[in-house]
Amino acid sequence: MSQVLKEITILLKKDISLEWRSRQSLSAILLYLFSTILVLYYSLVRVEKFLWTGVFWILIIFLSINALSGSFSKDTRDRHWYYYSLAHPLSFYFAKLVYNFISLLAYTMISLLLLNVFFGLPAIHWGLFFITLVASILGISAIFTFIALLNNKTGDQSTIMAILSTPLIFPILLAGSRLVMNALSILSETSYYKDLISILSVDLLAISLSIILFPILWRD
Amino acid sequence: MILMAYVIVMGFTVPLGQGITKVSPEIATVGEKLTYHIQGYNTRFRNNTGIRVWLKHDNFLLESTAQDFKDEQSADVQFEFPRFVDTAKAYVDLSLIMDTPDGPVVLPSAVSLKNIADSSGKVKLTWSDQLTIHPHKESNFNYPFRNIFGETIRNTYFHVPLWFAMTFLFMFSVYYSIRYLNKNNPIDDDKVESLVRVGTLFGVLGTLTGSIWARYTWGSFWSFDVKQNMAAIALLIYGGYFLLRSSISDPDAKSRLGNIFNIFAFAMLIPLIFIIPRRFDSLHPGNGGNPALSTQDLDNSMRIVFYPAVIAYILIGFWMAELVYRYRLTYNKLNKIN
């Protein structure tokens, strides 16, 4: 167990340092976020409370497609084989999952910051909002990590990534948008925990399926 | 095949039971004497003796005072409303009940009665609750008449079983996917592909029959109901499966990745179709407090056709999948693939 944890931390460090050295995806994401929010600023002028949920989730969807679709293409195929000989597939999977989760969470925070600068944030129940955010980003990164590897095996076509993954994250988006509406007090439901449970169960389902299927896919 | 023929013949030929489509005027005031025009459907008013008409609210009945049958489908019925109604409500919903030798007919909330409270503040009961209905037994084999459905109630035999069959086909495709990943037998992959192909076809047909039904009952082909949207997304996921397969040229990698995605997609389909829609208000029965598969939706005359229909669609789905599979096998043999 400690061996696996050690492998995960080393692989995680590798991913972070690889990203930090080039800062390629970070700058790409920042550029994407800045341009999108600028377009939104000039076309919407003012984002109402009702629009805010939609704007926020659309930002997150395209953010995650942009940020995570290339998560396996930084390393070449030969290096994948090298990693395969070094570490257990699952530790590789969890390192990728944690890395994607952290980076997506960070990018979401940056986009929240930018939204705040340009539009100002509406009154939010921050506790519920952050729990929703963490749960749905965990699910999104789990699904996207898996599909990104699948996509990597097909030879990195960016359209395939979007087509395969967007319908799969729909349950999370639906429940998540309801929860965000609750957090914005657009909806006032007392049973919002049911939505949270359904997001968490989707997360669990995605992660456990990946645990089963990732090693088979990784072997290729 | 026999089952399918049975379903089609029974589904289209058995007539609908009698029903009332319209009662006008729809509003009445207490103490009034009004003549109502009743529009029936599949009814036989003429040459029928012993037709009685009531208006009903809770336990109270009001029988008509005069009846005049113009033809088989239309009748003029006169009611004398009592001065007071024993309720605090401003409007009372009355159901129209009609007893004919062919069986009873009910139109719920046919008339709303405007209630004016007694000037003395006391509410008097002048309804007669002495009358009881002794309806005739239903004499013919009919499907029930439901006001919003009309003849489209027959779609129950086509729309609902298609989804049942689709779920079964996808389930078996996952079974063969797992078997392929375990044993690496290319035959299993062919089975998966043909099952998914037929399943997707059934999904498309289910959506089409559903949207035709929605046109007649809900008013438009696509009402952005949660289940409609989720079904569309499910079809998108399986569209992704075919796209994924077609984008890979290496046959071995194609079947591996396709099967892995198939398992993942089916597992993700479960929350999409069965869990998430329950949290939303839906027009479909079974959601948002609407009943599904209960006595209200399916009566015995429909069960006789509905259950064979489900079995027939599942069997025909597997039969079609086997045809596709055998075609692929022969194609591969002829072209010396594998």
Side-chain angles (χ1 to χ4, degrees):
Chain A
M1 196 62 208
S2 61
Q3 177 65 29
V4 172
L5 281 178
K6 211 168 147 192
E7 278 178 8
I8 290 174
T9 42
I10 290 170
L11 284 166
L12 194 60
K13 264 184 205 158
K14 178 222 76 172
D15 271 338
I16 293 170
S17 59
L18 212 65
E19 174 54 40
W20 189 247
R21 216 176 290 155
S22 67
R23 270 170 294 224
Q24 183 202 1
S25 96
L26 182 72
S27 46
I29 292 296
L30 281 181
L31 209 62
Y32 156 75
L33 269 178
F34 195 72
S35 51
T36 315
I37 289 180
L38 215 57
V39 169
L40 283 174
Y41 181 74
Y42 280 110
S43 52
L44 296 175
V45 184
R46 209 169 122 229
V47 175
E48 301 282 334
K49 210 167 153 188
F50 291 92
L51 255 169
W52 201 85
T53 325
V55 166
F56 179 69
W57 281 110
I58 289 170
L59 265 182
I60 288 199
I61 295 172
F62 288 100
L63 189 71
S64 36
I65 291 176
N66 276 333
L68 305 189
S69 61
S71 39
F72 289 92
S73 52
K74 272 177 219 148
D75 297 321
T76 56
R77 211 178 166 77
D78 309 343
R79 218 188 285 173
H80 278 179
W81 285 326
Y82 176 57
Y83 293 140
Y84 183 69
S85 68
L86 284 182
H88 192 269
L90 282 184
S91 47
F92 195 85
Y93 168 69
F94 277 109
K96 265 288 184 250
L97 179 64
V98 171
Y99 174 73
N100 282 343
F101 174 66
I102 292 171
S103 58
L104 201 54
L105 208 59
Y107 295 146
T108 314
M109 291 305 144
I110 295 170
S111 60
L112 269 178
L113 199 73
L114 282 174
L115 277 176
N116 188 19
V117 169
F118 279 85
F119 300 108
L121 297 180
I124 296 181
H125 299 292
W126 287 104
L128 180 60
F129 182 72
F130 275 114
I131 291 170
T132 311
L133 214 58
V134 168
S136 31
I137 283 178
L138 180 64
I140 290 174
S141 45
I143 292 171
F144 271 66
T145 308
F146 186 78
I147 301 294
L149 181 61
L150 205 67
N151 185 37
N152 181 251
K153 298 288 178 194
T154 66
D156 275 321
Q157 291 147 301
S158 57
T159 45
I160 288 212
M161 178 73 194
I163 288 168
L164 292 188
S165 54
T166 325
L168 288 178
I169 60 171
F170 241 89
I172 296 174
L173 290 183
L174 280 176
S177 58
R178 273 174 76 92
L179 281 169
V180 169
M181 279 188 213
N182 259 315
L184 287 169
S185 6
I186 295 171
L187 283 179
S188 55
E189 265 201 67
T190 45
S191 61
Y192 56 80
Y193 64 92
K194 278 185 189 163
D195 285 318
L196 202 59
I197 288 171
S198 53
I199 292 187
L200 288 175
S201 56
V202 172
D203 293 2
L204 203 69
L205 192 69
I207 292 175
S208 46
L209 268 173
S210 306
I211 289 174
I212 298 166
L213 295 174
F214 191 90
I216 303 170
L217 201 56
W218 187 230
R219 204 169 55 201
D220 263 1
Chain B
M1 288 318 283
I2 296 166
L3 271 176
M4 199 63 215
Y6 166 77
V7 168
I8 288 173
V9 169
M10 291 293 274
F12 280 119
T13 54
V14 169
L16 228 56
Q18 36 181 12
I20 299 164
T21 50
K22 213 182 164 193
V23 172
S24 60
E26 287 172 347
I27 294 177
T29 318
V30 281
E32 253 182 337
K33 192 175 180 182
L34 268 179
T35 307
Y36 279 95
H37 180 72
I38 296 173
Q39 191 71 44
Y41 187 84
N42 276 4
T43 44
R44 289 184 294 151
F45 288 150
R46 259 196 187 168
N47 307 324
N48 253 339
T49 46
I51 296 181
R52 296 173 78 192
V53 188
W54 294 276
L55 284 173
K56 184 176 183 291
H57 174 69
D58 288 342
N59 291 322
F60 307 120
L61 282 169
L62 180 71
E63 192 168 1
S64 62
T65 45
Q67 301 165 358
D68 173 30
F69 300 111
K70 286 178 184 160
D71 57 47
E72 301 285 33
Q73 261 86 44
S74 62
D76 282 333
V77 180
Q78 197 181 53
F79 286 103
E80 274 175 46
F81 289 100
R83 298 266 325 272
F84 306 110
V85 183
D86 183 24
T87 174
K89 283 184 215 155
Y91 282 93
V92 181
D93 269 349
L94 299 173
S95 304
L96 188 94
I97 301 175
M98 208 168 188
D99 184 34
T100 68
D102 292 335
V105 186
V106 179
L107 179 68
S109 311
V111 177
S112 77
L113 180 65
K114 196 180 178 195
N115 191 14
I116 299 165
D118 191 3
S119 53
S120 65
K122 268 187 181 173
V123 188
K124 285 181 207 158
L125 168 67
T126 41
W127 287 94
S128 161
D129 58 345
Q130 306 300 315
L131 291 169
T132 42
I133 306 175
H134 299 289
H136 293 81
K137 277 262 157 60
E138 190 106 21
S139 56
N140 301 323
F141 181 73
N142 287 324
Y143 299 141
F145 182 90
R146 292 274 181 277
N147 218 38
I148 46 168
F149 288 141
E151 292 280 353
T152 63
I153 202 165
R154 297 171 201 282
N155 206 347
T156 317
Y157 310 135
F158 304 99
H159 173 64
V160 186
L162 276 169
W163 293 111
F164 274 78
M166 184 196 82
T167 318
F168 268 92
L169 288 166
F170 284 159
M171 244 166 3
F172 270 79
S173 79
V174 169
Y175 166 72
Y176 282 117
S177 279
I178 294 168
R179 222 168 75 161
Y180 175 82
L181 292 177
N182 276 338
K183 294 185 180 158
N184 253 324
N185 189 353
I187 283 175
D188 287 333
D189 180 55
D190 286 335
K191 281 181 185 165
V192 172
E193 216 232 337
S194 31
L195 281 167
V196 171
R197 225 163 245 252
V198 177
T200 314
L201 174 72
F202 274 30
V204 171
L205 288 178
T207 314
L208 286 180
T209 50
S211 71
I212 292 168
W213 210 0
R215 175 74 185 82
Y216 285 100
T217 51
W218 304 337
S220 64
F221 285 111
W222 200 265
S223 356
F224 292 95
D225 181 65
V226 201
K227 278 207 173 173
Q228 284 182 323
N229 290 345
M230 293 302 107
I233 291 164
L235 290 181
L236 277 185
I237 291 177
Y238 280 95
Y241 169 81
F242 292 116
L243 189 88
L244 179 70
R245 283 183 67 97
S246 62
S247 70
I248 310 166
S249 49
D250 175 31
D252 193 41
K254 177 195 273 186
S255 23
R256 275 176 86 75
L257 298 183
N259 284 318
I260 288 172
F261 182 74
N262 185 33
I263 296 171
F264 200 78
F266 182 76
M268 285 292 146
L269 215 60
I270 294 168
L272 196 66
I273 289 183
F274 298 107
I275 299 172
I276 298 292
R278 290 191 190 285
R279 297 286 300 134
F280 286 81
D281 294 329
S282 170
L283 296 163
H284 272 88
N287 297 83
N290 301 341
L293 297 179
S294 65
T295 45
Q296 272 228 309
D297 299 326
L298 279 178
D299 80 344
N300 284 332
S301 66
M302 295 190 72
R303 285 212 175 87
I304 290 174
V305 186
F306 179 72
Y307 292 132
V310 172
I311 297 167
Y313 271 98
I314 290 170
L315 288 180
I316 236 172
F318 281 102
W319 176 70
M320 280 166 79
E322 203 183 320
L323 279 190
V324 176
Y325 162 69
R326 279 204 223 144
Y327 165 77
R328 288 180 61 84
L329 223 59
T330 333
Y331 180 85
N332 287 350
K333 226 177 251 171
L334 284 176
N335 292 290
K336 308 247 168 357
I337 301 170
N338 297 332

Coordinates of all heavy atoms in Angstrom, one line a residue, chain A residues 35-95:
Chain A
S35 N -10.2 35.2 -22.8 CA -10.9 35.6 -24.0 C -12.4 35.3 -23.9 O -13.3 36.1 -24.3 CB -10.3 34.9 -25.2 OG -10.2 33.5 -25.0
T36 N -12.8 34.1 -23.3 CA -14.2 33.8 -23.2 C -14.9 34.8 -22.3 O -16.0 35.3 -22.7 CB -14.3 32.4 -22.6 OG1 -13.5 31.5 -23.2 CG2 -15.7 31.9 -22.7
I37 N -14.3 35.1 -21.2 CA -15.0 36.0 -20.3 C -15.1 37.4 -20.9 O -16.1 38.2 -20.7 CB -14.3 36.0 -18.9 CG1 -14.6 34.7 -18.3 CG2 -14.8 37.1 -18.0 CD1 -14.0 34.5 -16.9
L38 N -14.1 37.8 -21.7 CA -14.1 39.1 -22.4 C -15.3 39.1 -23.4 O -16.0 40.1 -23.4 CB -12.8 39.3 -23.1 CG -12.3 40.8 -23.1 CD1 -12.2 41.3 -21.7 CD2 -11.0 40.9 -23.9
V39 N -15.4 38.0 -24.1 CA -16.5 37.9 -25.1 C -17.9 38.0 -24.3 O -18.8 38.8 -24.7 CB -16.5 36.6 -25.9 CG1 -17.8 36.4 -26.6 CG2 -15.3 36.6 -26.8
L40 N -18.0 37.3 -23.2 CA -19.2 37.3 -22.4 C -19.4 38.7 -21.9 O -20.6 39.2 -21.9 CB -19.0 36.4 -21.2 CG -19.2 34.9 -21.4 CD1 -18.9 34.2 -20.2 CD2 -20.6 34.6 -21.9
Y41 N -18.3 39.4 -21.5 CA -18.5 40.8 -21.0 C -19.1 41.7 -22.0 O -19.9 42.5 -21.7 CB -17.1 41.2 -20.5 CG -17.1 42.6 -19.9 CD1 -17.7 42.8 -18.6 CD2 -16.7 43.7 -20.6 CE1 -17.7 44.1 -18.0 CE2 -16.7 45.0 -20.0 CZ -17.2 45.1 -18.7 OH -17.3 46.4 -18.2
Y42 N -18.5 41.6 -23.2 CA -19.0 42.5 -24.3 C -20.4 42.1 -24.8 O -21.1 43.0 -25.4 CB -18.0 42.7 -25.4 CG -16.9 43.6 -24.9 CD1 -15.6 43.2 -24.7 CD2 -17.2 45.0 -24.7 CE1 -14.6 44.0 -24.2 CE2 -16.2 45.8 -24.3 CZ -14.9 45.3 -24.0 OH -14.0 46.2 -23.6
S43 N -20.7 40.8 -24.7 CA -22.0 40.5 -25.3 C -23.1 40.5 -24.3 O -24.3 40.8 -24.6 CB -21.9 39.1 -26.0 OG -21.4 38.2 -25.0
L44 N -22.8 40.2 -23.0 CA -23.9 40.1 -22.0 C -24.0 41.4 -21.2 O -25.0 41.7 -20.6 CB -23.7 38.9 -21.1 CG -23.8 37.6 -21.7 CD1 -23.5 36.5 -20.7 CD2 -25.2 37.3 -22.3
V45 N -22.9 42.1 -21.1 CA -22.7 43.3 -20.3 C -22.9 43.1 -18.8 O -22.1 43.3 -18.0 CB -23.7 44.4 -20.7 CG1 -23.5 45.7 -19.9 CG2 -23.6 44.7 -22.2
R46 N -24.1 42.4 -18.5 CA -24.4 42.2 -17.1 C -24.9 40.8 -17.0 O -25.8 40.4 -17.7 CB -25.4 43.2 -16.6 CG -25.3 43.5 -15.2 CD -26.2 44.7 -14.9 NE -27.1 44.3 -13.9 CZ -28.4 44.5 -14.0 NH1 -29.0 45.0 -15.0 NH2 -29.2 44.1 -13.0
V47 N -24.4 40.0 -16.0 CA -24.9 38.6 -15.9 C -25.8 38.6 -14.7 O -25.4 38.8 -13.6 CB -23.7 37.6 -15.7 CG1 -24.2 36.3 -15.4 CG2 -22.8 37.6 -16.9
E48 N -27.1 38.3 -15.0 CA -28.1 38.1 -13.9 C -27.8 36.9 -13.2 O -27.1 36.0 -13.6 CB -29.5 38.1 -14.6 CG -29.8 39.3 -15.4 CD -30.2 40.5 -14.5 OE1 -30.6 40.3 -13.4 OE2 -30.0 41.6 -15.0
K49 N -28.5 36.8 -12.1 CA -28.4 35.6 -11.2 C -28.8 34.3 -12.0 O -28.1 33.3 -11.9 CB -29.3 35.8 -10.1 CG -29.0 35.1 -8.8 CD -29.9 35.7 -7.7 CE -30.1 34.8 -6.6 NZ -31.1 35.3 -5.6
F50 N -29.8 34.4 -12.8 CA -30.3 33.2 -13.5 C -29.4 32.8 -14.6 O -29.2 31.6 -14.8 CB -31.7 33.5 -14.1 CG -32.8 33.7 -13.1 CD1 -33.1 35.0 -12.7 CD2 -33.5 32.6 -12.7 CE1 -34.1 35.1 -11.7 CE2 -34.5 32.8 -11.7 CZ -34.8 34.0 -11.2
L51 N -28.7 33.8 -15.2 CA -27.8 33.5 -16.3 C -26.5 32.9 -15.7 O -25.8 32.1 -16.3 CB -27.4 34.8 -17.0 CG -28.1 34.9 -18.4 CD1 -27.8 36.3 -18.9 CD2 -27.4 33.9 -19.4
W52 N -26.2 33.3 -14.5 CA -24.9 33.0 -13.9 C -24.6 31.5 -13.8 O -23.5 31.1 -14.2 CB -24.9 33.6 -12.5 CG -23.5 33.8 -12.0 CD1 -22.7 34.9 -12.2 CD2 -22.7 32.9 -11.2 NE1 -21.5 34.7 -11.6 CE2 -21.5 33.5 -11.0 CE3 -23.0 31.6 -10.7 CZ2 -20.5 32.9 -10.3 CZ3 -21.9 31.0 -10.0 CH2 -20.7 31.6 -9.8
T53 N -25.6 30.7 -13.4 CA -25.4 29.3 -13.4 C -25.0 28.7 -14.7 O -24.1 28.0 -14.8 CB -26.7 28.6 -13.0 OG1 -27.4 29.4 -12.0 CG2 -26.5 27.2 -12.4
G54 N -25.7 29.2 -15.8 CA -25.5 28.7 -17.1 C -24.1 29.1 -17.6 O -23.3 28.2 -18.1
V55 N -23.7 30.3 -17.4 CA -22.4 30.8 -17.8 C -21.3 30.0 -17.1 O -20.4 29.6 -17.7 CB -22.3 32.3 -17.5 CG1 -20.8 32.8 -17.6 CG2 -23.1 33.2 -18.4
F56 N -21.5 29.8 -15.8 CA -20.5 29.1 -15.0 C -20.3 27.7 -15.5 O -19.2 27.3 -15.7 CB -21.0 29.2 -13.5 CG -20.1 28.4 -12.6 CD1 -18.8 29.0 -12.3 CD2 -20.4 27.2 -12.0 CE1 -18.0 28.3 -11.5 CE2 -19.6 26.6 -11.2 CZ -18.3 27.1 -10.9
W57 N -21.4 27.0 -15.7 CA -21.3 25.6 -16.1 C -20.7 25.5 -17.5 O -19.9 24.6 -17.8 CB -22.6 24.8 -16.0 CG -22.9 24.4 -14.6 CD1 -23.8 24.9 -13.8 CD2 -22.2 23.5 -13.8 NE1 -23.8 24.4 -12.6 CE2 -22.8 23.5 -12.5 CE3 -21.1 22.6 -14.0 CZ2 -22.3 22.7 -11.5 CZ3 -20.6 21.8 -13.0 CH2 -21.2 21.9 -11.8
I58 N -21.1 26.4 -18.4 CA -20.5 26.3 -19.8 C -19.0 26.5 -19.7 O -18.2 25.9 -20.4 CB -21.2 27.3 -20.7 CG1 -22.7 26.9 -21.0 CG2 -20.5 27.5 -22.0 CD1 -23.5 27.9 -21.7
L59 N -18.6 27.5 -18.9 CA -17.2 27.8 -18.7 C -16.5 26.5 -18.3 O -15.4 26.1 -18.8 CB -17.0 28.9 -17.7 CG -16.8 30.3 -18.2 CD1 -16.6 31.2 -17.0 CD2 -15.7 30.4 -19.1
I60 N -17.1 25.8 -17.3 CA -16.5 24.6 -16.7 C -16.4 23.5 -17.7 O -15.3 22.8 -17.8 CB -17.2 24.2 -15.4 CG1 -16.9 25.1 -14.3 CG2 -16.8 22.8 -15.0 CD1 -17.2 24.6 -13.0
I61 N -17.4 23.3 -18.5 CA -17.4 22.2 -19.5 C -16.3 22.4 -20.5 O -15.4 21.5 -20.7 CB -18.7 22.1 -20.3 CG1 -19.9 21.8 -19.4 CG2 -18.6 21.1 -21.4 CD1 -21.2 21.9 -20.1
F62 N -16.2 23.6 -21.1 CA -15.2 23.8 -22.1 C -13.8 23.9 -21.5 O -12.8 23.5 -22.1 CB -15.5 25.0 -23.0 CG -16.6 24.7 -23.9 CD1 -17.9 25.1 -23.6 CD2 -16.5 23.9 -25.0 CE1 -19.0 24.8 -24.4 CE2 -17.5 23.6 -25.8 CZ -18.8 24.0 -25.5
L63 N -13.7 24.4 -20.2 CA -12.5 24.4 -19.5 C -12.0 23.0 -19.3 O -10.8 22.7 -19.6 CB -12.8 25.0 -18.1 CG -11.6 25.3 -17.2 CD1 -10.9 26.5 -17.8 CD2 -12.1 25.6 -15.8
S64 N -12.9 22.1 -18.9 CA -12.4 20.7 -18.7 C -12.0 20.0 -20.0 O -11.1 19.2 -20.0 CB -13.4 19.9 -17.9 OG -14.7 20.2 -18.3
I65 N -12.8 20.3 -21.0 CA -12.4 19.6 -22.3 C -11.0 20.1 -22.7 O -10.2 19.3 -23.1 CB -13.5 19.9 -23.4 CG1 -14.8 19.2 -23.1 CG2 -12.9 19.5 -24.8 CD1 -15.9 19.5 -24.1
N66 N -10.8 21.4 -22.6 CA -9.5 22.0 -23.0 C -8.4 21.5 -22.1 O -7.3 21.1 -22.6 CB -9.6 23.5 -22.9 CG -10.1 24.1 -24.2 OD1 -10.0 23.5 -25.3 ND2 -10.7 25.3 -24.1
A67 N -8.7 21.5 -20.8 CA -7.6 21.2 -19.9 C -7.2 19.7 -19.9 O -6.1 19.4 -19.7 CB -7.9 21.7 -18.5
L68 N -8.2 18.8 -19.9 CA -8.0 17.4 -19.7 C -7.8 16.6 -20.9 O -7.4 15.4 -20.8 CB -9.1 16.8 -18.8 CG -9.3 17.6 -17.5 CD1 -10.3 16.8 -16.6 CD2 -8.1 17.8 -16.7
S69 N -8.2 17.1 -22.1 CA -8.2 16.2 -23.2 C -6.7 15.8 -23.6 O -6.5 14.7 -24.1 CB -8.8 16.8 -24.5 OG -8.1 18.0 -24.8
G70 N -5.8 16.6 -23.2 CA -4.4 16.3 -23.6 C -3.7 15.7 -22.4 O -2.4 15.7 -22.4
S71 N -4.4 15.1 -21.4 CA -3.6 14.7 -20.2 C -2.7 13.5 -20.4 O -1.8 13.3 -19.6 CB -4.6 14.4 -19.0 OG -5.8 13.8 -19.5
F72 N -2.9 12.8 -21.5 CA -2.0 11.7 -21.7 C -1.1 11.9 -22.9 O -0.3 11.1 -23.3 CB -2.8 10.4 -21.9 CG -3.4 9.9 -20.7 CD1 -4.7 10.2 -20.3 CD2 -2.7 9.1 -19.8 CE1 -5.2 9.8 -19.1 CE2 -3.2 8.6 -18.6 CZ -4.5 9.0 -18.3
S73 N -1.3 13.0 -23.6 CA -0.5 13.2 -24.8 C 0.8 14.0 -24.6 O 1.6 14.2 -25.5 CB -1.3 14.0 -25.9 OG -1.9 15.1 -25.3
K74 N 1.0 14.4 -23.3 CA 2.3 15.0 -23.0 C 3.5 14.1 -23.1 O 4.5 14.4 -23.6 CB 2.3 15.7 -21.6 CG 1.7 17.1 -21.6 CD 1.6 17.6 -20.2 CE 0.3 18.4 -20.0 NZ -0.2 18.3 -18.7
D75 N 3.2 12.8 -22.7 CA 4.2 11.8 -22.8 C 4.0 11.0 -24.1 O 2.9 10.8 -24.6 CB 4.1 10.8 -21.6 CG 4.3 11.5 -20.3 OD1 5.2 12.3 -20.2 OD2 3.6 11.1 -19.4
T76 N 5.1 10.6 -24.7 CA 5.0 9.9 -25.9 C 4.6 8.4 -25.6 O 4.6 8.0 -24.5 CB 6.4 9.8 -26.7 OG1 7.3 9.3 -25.7 CG2 6.8 11.2 -27.1
R77 N 4.3 7.7 -26.6 CA 3.8 6.3 -26.5 C 4.9 5.4 -25.9 O 4.7 4.6 -25.0 CB 3.4 5.8 -27.8 CG 2.3 4.7 -27.8 CD 1.9 4.3 -29.2 NE 1.2 3.1 -29.1 CZ -0.1 3.0 -28.8 NH1 -0.7 4.1 -28.5 NH2 -0.8 1.9 -28.8
D78 N 6.1 5.7 -26.3 CA 7.3 4.9 -25.8 C 7.4 5.1 -24.3 O 7.7 4.2 -23.5 CB 8.6 5.3 -26.4 CG 8.5 5.3 -27.9 OD1 7.5 4.7 -28.4 OD2 9.3 5.9 -28.6
R79 N 7.2 6.4 -23.9 CA 7.3 6.7 -22.4 C 6.2 6.0 -21.6 O 6.4 5.6 -20.5 CB 7.4 8.2 -22.2 CG 8.4 8.5 -21.1 CD 8.4 9.9 -20.7 NE 9.0 10.8 -21.7 CZ 8.9 12.1 -21.6 NH1 8.3 12.7 -20.6 NH2 9.5 12.9 -22.5
H80 N 5.0 5.9 -22.3 CA 3.9 5.1 -21.6 C 4.4 3.7 -21.3 O 4.1 3.2 -20.2 CB 2.7 5.1 -22.5 CG 1.9 6.3 -22.4 ND1 0.7 6.5 -23.1 CD2 2.1 7.4 -21.6 CE1 0.2 7.7 -22.8 NE2 1.0 8.3 -21.9
W81 N 5.1 3.1 -22.2 CA 5.6 1.7 -22.0 C 6.6 1.7 -20.9 O 6.6 0.8 -20.1 CB 6.2 1.1 -23.3 CG 5.1 0.8 -24.3 CD1 3.9 0.3 -24.0 CD2 5.2 0.8 -25.7 NE1 3.2 0.0 -25.1 CE2 4.0 0.4 -26.2 CE3 6.2 1.3 -26.6 CZ2 3.7 0.3 -27.6 CZ3 5.9 1.2 -27.9 CH2 4.7 0.7 -28.4
Y82 N 7.4 2.7 -20.9 CA 8.4 2.8 -19.8 C 7.7 2.9 -18.4 O 8.1 2.2 -17.5 CB 9.3 4.1 -20.1 CG 10.3 4.3 -19.0 CD1 11.3 3.4 -18.7 CD2 10.3 5.6 -18.4 CE1 12.2 3.6 -17.7 CE2 11.3 5.9 -17.4 CZ 12.2 4.9 -17.1 OH 13.1 5.1 -16.1
Y83 N 6.7 3.8 -18.3 CA 6.0 3.9 -17.1 C 5.3 2.6 -16.7 O 5.3 2.2 -15.6 CB 4.9 5.0 -17.2 CG 5.4 6.4 -17.3 CD1 4.8 7.3 -18.1 CD2 6.5 6.8 -16.6 CE1 5.3 8.5 -18.3 CE2 7.0 8.1 -16.7 CZ 6.3 8.9 -17.5 OH 6.8 10.2 -17.7
Y84 N 4.8 1.9 -17.7 CA 4.1 0.6 -17.5 C 5.0 -0.4 -16.9 O 4.6 -1.2 -16.0 CB 3.6 0.1 -18.9 CG 2.8 -1.2 -18.7 CD1 1.6 -1.2 -18.1 CD2 3.3 -2.4 -19.2 CE1 0.8 -2.4 -17.9 CE2 2.6 -3.6 -19.0 CZ 1.4 -3.5 -18.4 OH 0.7 -4.7 -18.3
S85 N 6.3 -0.3 -17.3 CA 7.2 -1.3 -16.7 C 7.6 -0.9 -15.3 O 8.1 -1.7 -14.5 CB 8.5 -1.4 -17.6 OG 9.2 -0.2 -17.6
L86 N 7.5 0.4 -15.0 CA 7.9 0.9 -13.7 C 6.9 0.8 -12.6 O 7.2 0.3 -11.5 CB 8.4 2.4 -13.8 CG 9.7 2.6 -14.4 CD1 10.0 4.1 -14.4 CD2 10.8 1.9 -13.7
A87 N 5.7 1.3 -12.9 CA 4.7 1.4 -11.9 C 3.4 0.6 -12.2 O 3.1 0.3 -13.3 CB 4.3 2.9 -11.7
H88 N 2.6 0.4 -11.1 CA 1.3 -0.3 -11.2 C 0.4 0.6 -12.0 O 0.4 1.9 -11.8 CB 0.8 -0.6 -9.8 CG -0.4 -1.5 -9.9 ND1 -1.7 -1.1 -10.0 CD2 -0.4 -2.9 -9.8 CE1 -2.5 -2.1 -10.0 NE2 -1.7 -3.2 -9.9
P89 N -0.4 0.1 -12.9 CA -1.3 0.9 -13.7 C -2.2 1.8 -12.8 O -2.5 2.9 -13.1 CB -2.2 -0.1 -14.5 CG -1.5 -1.4 -14.4 CD -0.4 -1.3 -13.4
L90 N -2.7 1.2 -11.7 CA -3.6 2.0 -10.8 C -2.9 3.2 -10.2 O -3.6 4.2 -10.0 CB -4.2 1.1 -9.8 CG -5.3 0.1 -10.3 CD1 -5.9 -0.6 -9.1 CD2 -6.4 0.9 -11.0
S91 N -1.7 3.0 -9.8 CA -1.0 4.2 -9.2 C -0.8 5.3 -10.3 O -1.0 6.5 -10.0 CB 0.3 3.8 -8.6 OG 1.1 3.0 -9.4
F92 N -0.6 4.8 -11.5 CA -0.6 5.8 -12.6 C -1.9 6.5 -12.8 O -2.0 7.7 -12.9 CB -0.2 5.1 -13.9 CG 0.3 6.1 -15.0 CD1 1.6 6.6 -15.0 CD2 -0.6 6.6 -15.9 CE1 1.9 7.5 -15.9 CE2 -0.3 7.5 -16.8 CZ 1.0 8.0 -16.9
Y93 N -3.0 5.7 -12.7 CA -4.3 6.2 -12.9 C -4.6 7.3 -11.8 O -5.1 8.4 -12.0 CB -5.4 5.1 -12.8 CG -6.8 5.7 -12.7 CD1 -7.4 6.4 -13.8 CD2 -7.5 5.5 -11.5 CE1 -8.6 6.9 -13.6 CE2 -8.8 6.0 -11.4 CZ -9.3 6.7 -12.5 OH -10.6 7.2 -12.3
F94 N -4.3 6.9 -10.5 CA -4.7 7.8 -9.4 C -3.8 9.0 -9.4 O -4.3 10.1 -9.1 CB -4.6 7.1 -8.1 CG -5.8 6.3 -7.8 CD1 -5.8 4.9 -7.8 CD2 -7.0 6.9 -7.5 CE1 -7.0 4.2 -7.5 CE2 -8.1 6.2 -7.2 CZ -8.1 4.9 -7.3
A95 N -2.6 8.9 -9.9 CA -1.7 10.1 -10.0 C -2.4 11.1 -11.0 O -2.5 12.3 -10.7 CB -0.3 9.7 -10.4

